Amino acid sequence: MGRLVIEETSVYEIDEDCVKEKELERRKRQEKMEAEGLREKKERSEDVIPLSI
């Protein structure tokens, strides 16, 4: 049996395994987005030509 959450007039049971799985999926998605963001940032910096004044 998972955790019980009481909210106003409702009671919910939280499936701990499901919560862990969803958290793992969220972390993987976030890591992927961060990796893509870093890749984009690197590509953009390569497009910039430094100017000397």
Side-chain angles (χ1 to χ4, degrees):
M1 186 165 132
R3 271 187 306 167
L4 294 179
V5 176
I6 301 171
E7 186 177 281
E8 294 184 24
T9 58
S10 301
V11 177
Y12 304 95
E13 180 179 356
I14 297 177
D15 183 349
E16 297 293 337
D17 292 334
C18 182
V19 171
K20 289 176 186 175
E21 187 177 314
K22 294 283 184 184
E23 180 64 23
L24 182 60
E25 289 173 10
R26 186 192 64 79
R27 274 195 226 130
K28 285 182 180 179
R29 238 185 356 261
Q30 186 174 4
E31 288 172 0
K32 182 180 176 186
M33 287 173 37
E34 288 174 359
E36 288 174 357
L38 292 175
R39 195 174 319 131
E40 286 177 17
K41 207 180 275 186
K42 183 179 178 191
E43 288 171 0
R44 273 189 262 133
S45 68
E46 291 171 352
D47 292 341
V48 176
I49 300 170
L51 299 175
S52 57
I53 299 177

